[in-house]
Amino acid sequence: MHPIPVLTVQTAPFDDQRPGTNGLRRKTAVFEGKKNYLQNYIQSVLSSIDLRDRQGCTMVVGCDGRYFSRAATEVIVQMAAANGIGRLVIGHNGLLSTPAVSCIIRKIKAIGGIILTASHNPGGPGGDFGIKFNVANGGPSPDTVMERIYQVSRTLEEYAICPDLHIDLSRLGRQEFDLENKFKPFRVEIVDSVDVYLQLLRNIFDFNAIKSLLTGPDQLKIHIDAMNGVMGPYVRRILCDELGAPANSAVNCVPLEDFGGRPPEPNLTYATSLVDAMKGGDFGFGAAFDADGDRYMILGENGFFVNPSDSVAIMAANLSTIPYFRQLGIKGFARSMATSTALDRVAKAMKLSLYETPTGWRYFGNLMDSGRCSLCGEESFGTGSDHIREKDGLWSVLVWLSIMAARKQGVEQINREHWAKFGRNYFCRFDYEGLDPRAAFYLMKDLESVIADKAFTSQKFAVGDHIYSVERADNFEYIDPVDGTVARNQGLRIVFTDASRLVFRMSGSGAGTGATIRIYAESCERDPRETQQRDTGTEEVCVWHNFAIKLPFFSCCYFFDLWFVLN
C-alpha cells in the first residue's frame, strides 16, 4: 500500500472560538455546517501543544455518543496523524466517559485528550456539540492553555489533515498507518470503554461491601438512569455485572445520538422518569447521570432529593468508609464559590483546609496535584476526588453506596443526621438563559456598582420575621495558592451576617446562543430542631417560593425584572 498523503488546507480564522468553562460549545449545525469550523478548532488545539512535545506523543479521544461525534472523531484522527501525533487511544465505538478519559490519560501518561461532549446539553442535529481538551494531568485545560488555543484560532490560515485515513471504531485493537514523509507509522488503539476505569474503581472501593448491600438478605433495591448517554455501558458492567445489581435496576442504558429526545441533565426537571419511579417507594436508592458521566443526581426512598451541595459535604464527613482514603489519608476539601458552604463546616470540624475556587473543574487541578485537596465539588451536580482530575458521577454513586453499606442507613436518614450535626444549608439556583450578551454584561456591571457602594454594606432586608443584614459584598477573585495565578471577575457575592449568601454569575458553559446569568441563593440554619421541622422532598426543591421565605431574594429579583423592563 502507498503511504497516506498529508495535505495542508488553506482556511480563514473564526472570531468566536474562545473556549469557555467546558471547552468550545456551539449548536451542532455550526460544527457540522460551517466550512472548516471543526477543523479550525482542532488545529488550534493541536497547535497549542509545543511542536517538540507533540511529535510522536500519545493522545486519548472519546465522546458521549451524541450526534456528529463519529464524523468529528474521524476528522480528529486524520488531523492528529497529519500533525505528528504518534498514537491515539480511542474508546470502543468512540465512546469514553469524561472520567474514563481522565483516568486513561493518567494511566498511560498521555499528553492530553479530546472529549466530544456538550455535557448535559441536548443532542441530535438540532442540539449542541462541544469539544473539550484535557491536559496531561487528566484535567480540563487551565486558563493559560485555553488562551493559547484561542490566540491560535484568531490567526489560523491553514490546517493539516490526512483525508484518506479511515479507521474502524468498532474493531478493538491496534490499527497502523504509514504516512508520507513520516518515519514511524501512525497508530490508533481502540480500547474497551470500561476496563481501565473499572480497574481504578476496584482499587478505591470495597466492592465486596457494596455487592453485599445490593445482593444480601436486606438487599437495597436501586434504580439507575443512564439517560441514553455514555454511562449505559459503565452502569451495566460495573453496577450490574460486577456488583450484582439486577439487570432491570438500570434503565436507558443504550447510548443514543439524541439521548432519546430529552436533555441528558440529571436533575428534577429532566430526570422525571427516575423521580416518578423513586416516588413509588419500591427503591431505596436512585441516581441519574449526564451525557458524559461526570455529573449525577442522588434520590432516596420516596423521591428524597439530595442537594448537590449537601452531597459533597456528606461525602466529606464519611470518607473514612472508603478504603482509598483510609490508606492515603484526607488532605483537604475544595468547592466552587457558588456552591453552598455546607462543606466548609465539615472541613472546620475535621480541622482540614477548605479552598474556595471559581466555577470550573480546572481550578481544582493544581490543588490536587500539589497534595492540598482530596475531595472537591460544585453545585451543578459534580463531585470528584484526587483519583482523577475530573468530576466523576459513577464514583460519586459508589461513595454513597459505600456510606450506606457502612452506616446501614438510608439516604434520608444519612442526610437528616448530617443536618442535625452540622446544620443545614437551604440552597437553590435560578438560570436566566438566552440573554442578549450586551444586556447581560451591563446588567452585571450595574449590579456590581450597586453592591460596591459603601452604603450597601449597611443594608438590611426584612423577609417574614427575619432580618438579613449585609456583612460584605464583592466581585470574587481567586489567587491560586500553588502558582499564584489570579482569576478576577468570577461572580458577585453578597454575604449576610448570618452567613446567608446571594451570588450572581455569568456562565461560560452555554452553546453560543446568548448569555446566561445564574443566581444562587443560600440560607444557613444551625439549629438542629429547625433543620428537621421542614421537609425536603422533590416538590420543595422544585418550587422556589418554599426557599424564598428563608432568603432575601425578592429585592434582587425585583432588581433584575426592573432592569430588563427599563432596558
Side-chain angles (χ1 to χ4, degrees), residues 138-373:
S141 298
D143 290 343
T144 51
V145 173
M146 292 199 298
E147 182 63 24
R148 200 154 61 235
I149 292 170
Y150 175 59
Q151 292 304 329
V152 173
S153 77
R154 294 178 64 214
T155 58
L156 194 69
E157 295 180 347
E158 60 185 32
Y159 63 84
I161 191 167
C162 298
D164 296 333
L165 194 159
H166 302 286
I167 62 167
D168 183 356
L169 291 173
S170 67
R171 180 163 61 89
L172 291 170
R174 179 184 299 182
Q175 303 170 42
E176 291 191 346
F177 305 88
D178 290 320
L179 309 179
E180 279 185 354
N181 304 318
K182 304 287 183 182
F183 296 110
K184 292 183 178 179
F186 171 68
R187 183 192 309 169
V188 175
E189 293 178 20
I190 308 299
V191 300
D192 183 275
S193 302
V194 184
D195 275 350
V196 176
Y197 176 71
L198 170 56
Q199 187 55 50
L200 176 65
L201 295 182
R202 284 196 187 109
N203 294 332
I204 294 172
F205 295 99
D206 182 347
F207 269 29
N208 288 330
I210 299 174
K211 188 168 186 176
S212 295
L213 178 72
L214 299 180
T215 62
D218 299 319
Q219 175 191 3
L220 175 70
K221 293 184 67 177
I222 66 174
H223 191 73
I224 309 297
D225 190 346
M227 301 194 82
N228 297 116
V230 76
M231 288 307 292
Y234 295 84
V235 169
R236 288 212 179 280
R237 177 89 169 274
I238 297 171
L239 285 174
C240 298
D241 298 347
E242 190 82 11
L243 294 172
N248 61 5
S249 301
V251 299
N252 299 315
C253 286
V254 178
L256 299 176
E257 290 190 335
D258 67 348
F259 309 115
R262 60 175 175 168
E265 188 163 2
N267 61 25
L268 298 171
T269 301
Y270 294 110
T272 51
S273 60
L274 173 68
V275 174
D276 292 341
M278 294 303 298
K279 280 183 180 179
D282 294 331
F283 303 100
F285 180 88
F289 302 103
D290 72 343
D292 63 319
D294 60 355
R295 300 172 194 249
Y296 69 102
M297 177 176 70
I298 301 293
L299 295 179
E301 190 173 0
N302 300 316
F304 184 94
F305 172 75
V306 181
N307 188 288
S309 295
D310 282 342
S311 183
V312 66
I314 290 167
M315 287 183 190
N318 292 276
L319 282 184
S320 61
T321 63
I322 314 298
Y324 175 87
F325 295 104
R326 290 201 300 270
Q327 180 181 350
L328 298 180
I330 305 169
K331 301 154 191 169
F333 304 132
R335 63 166 176 82
S336 65
M337 181 272 286
T339 301
S340 94
T341 56
L343 182 61
D344 304 38
R345 291 202 292 280
V346 177
K348 184 177 181 181
M350 296 176 69
K351 295 181 172 57
L352 293 171
S353 298
L354 185 285
Y355 299 91
E356 184 179 37
T357 73
T359 295
W361 208 259
R362 62 191 182 276
Y363 293 105
F364 297 133
N366 272 359
L367 298 174
M368 290 187 282
D369 287 347
S370 62
R372 287 171 164 82
C373 176

Side-chain angles (χ1 to χ4, degrees), residues 7 34 117 126 128 158 161 176 201 236 249 269 281 294 368 380 384 392 412 422 443-444 475 505 530:
L7 304 184
K34 270 192 178 182
T117 179
D128 299 334
E158 60 185 32
I161 191 167
E176 291 191 346
L201 295 182
R236 288 212 179 280
S249 301
T269 301
D294 60 355
M368 290 187 282
S380 55
D392 191 341
E412 182 172 354
F422 294 99
L443 187 154
M444 293 293 288
N475 191 335
R505 189 180 71 84
E530 288 293 324

Side-chain angles (χ1 to χ4, degrees), residues 432-437 513-517:
Y432 292 78
E433 298 175 325
L435 306 178
D436 176 78
T513 54
T516 297
I517 291 177

Side-chain angles (χ1 to χ4, degrees), residues 27 32 43 62 161 167 202 267 292 357 362 368 401 449 471 481 490 503 524 527 552:
K27 286 295 180 185
E32 188 177 28
Q43 185 64 60
I161 191 167
I167 62 167
R202 284 196 187 109
N267 61 25
D292 63 319
T357 73
R362 62 191 182 276
M368 290 187 282
L401 292 175
S449 68
E471 180 178 89
Q490 294 299 312
V503 174
C524 305
D527 187 339

